[in-house]
Amino acid sequence: LKHLTVDELRRIRDEGVTAAELDRAREQVTASILMSLESTSSRMNRLGYGELFLGGALSPDELIERYDAVTGEEVLGLARRLLAPETMSFSAAGRVAPEEEYRRILGL
């Protein structure tokens, strides 16, 4: 069971996400964007984020359009870059095993 997270990260890094996973993520983010319209603080955060990082505030439709444009290949490329073992960090708390055990689990 302790290898489950590492196995899933490795799967995403090596194979990417399935079409069903990408569709579910799109549905979730679309619902989140639409639900956030009912919250003044969420709307202000979205507008502020857009101004600071995107060069201007995007409408909810523009945001959804951008999320819908993401491809499985783009997710795979990002996963390969961000989940590469040589660039990842690791920390442990509680009953910590010897370093070699974590290196073995991570495949290092």
Side-chain angles (χ1 to χ4, degrees), residues 11-104:
R11 181 192 68 81
I12 292 170
R13 183 195 66 216
D14 295 343
E15 302 169 20
V17 295
T18 66
E21 289 170 323
L22 192 55
D23 287 342
R24 242 186 346 266
R26 286 185 181 124
E27 289 171 10
Q28 184 176 1
V29 77
T30 297
S32 177
I33 290 169
L34 295 176
M35 293 295 292
S36 73
L37 295 174
E38 297 182 17
S39 165
T40 302
S41 63
S42 291
R43 290 180 76 176
M44 295 304 107
N45 282 331
R46 179 180 53 80
L47 292 172
Y49 181 88
E51 289 295 333
L52 289 171
F53 299 108
L54 303 176
L58 300 176
S59 72
D61 289 338
E62 290 170 318
L63 277 173
I64 292 168
E65 186 177 297
R66 286 188 179 197
Y67 280 110
D68 285 345
V70 173
T71 66
E73 291 78 25
E74 290 171 324
V75 173
L76 178 59
L78 184 62
R80 285 184 174 161
R81 193 181 71 195
L82 296 180
L83 299 177
E86 60 274 5
T87 62
M88 292 178 72
S89 296
F90 180 83
S91 64
R95 293 184 186 162
V96 179
E99 178 183 344
E100 296 76 28
E101 174 67 8
Y102 297 110
R103 288 187 170 282
R104 187 185 65 72

